[in-house]
Amino acid sequence: MIFRLSAAAFVAIAALTAYAVLADGADVVELAQWLRSHGHPGYAAWLAWVLLSPVVLAATALAVRRSPWPWVVAVTVQLASLVGAQARAGHLVNGWSWALVALALLLGLASLVAALGDRSGPPPEGLHS
């Protein structure tokens, strides 16, 4: 239950972040191409991740019962993305955005602990001791 709640809230924050980027009115495809052509492929990749992260996070959250590791990787990338973006461009956004990043950190870490800790139940077929 803790995993479902924290993961759902974490995915919602990712969706809110993607919406904020899209609602800004910029042509993100054109912006990504401009960033790449001006020697900033990392920023172009980050922009693509921000837009795709809600889908990736939702898909990996649904698969966490099979294996938590895709969720661990996706959450780690998202947290690094949020903290990195806030540290690099925090002066361009409202002051309250640090609070959203802190909330995302708490929810992301809670979901990781829940995903890795909730491995109770019988072992998969073929792993009986």
Side-chain angles (χ1 to χ4, degrees):
M1 171 107 141
I2 292 173
F3 173 76
R4 282 190 235 159
L5 292 174
S6 60
F10 192 72
V11 172
I13 289 175
L16 178 65
T17 304
Y19 174 77
V21 169
L22 291 172
D24 193 31
D27 180 356
V28 292
V29 173
E30 184 179 315
L31 178 58
Q33 290 171 344
W34 185 89
L35 287 167
R36 270 192 348 206
S37 68
H38 285 81
H40 302 290
Y43 288 125
W46 172 79
L47 184 59
W49 170 257
V50 167
L51 298 176
L52 295 174
S53 65
V55 174
V56 173
L57 287 164
T60 57
L62 291 173
V64 83
R65 287 195 75 122
R66 178 173 286 259
S67 172
W69 298 112
W71 175 253
V72 170
V73 171
V75 169
T76 303
V77 170
Q78 179 67 3
L79 290 176
S81 169
L82 288 173
V83 172
Q86 183 66 26
R88 180 75 174 114
H91 62 286
L92 299 175
V93 294
N94 292 328
W96 58 263
S97 61
W98 270 113
L100 188 61
V101 170
L103 178 62
L105 279 168
L106 288 173
L107 291 169
L109 292 175
S111 73
L112 290 178
V113 169
L116 292 171
D118 189 21
R119 306 303 294 165
S120 59
E125 225 24 66
L127 293 181
H128 297 286
S129 49

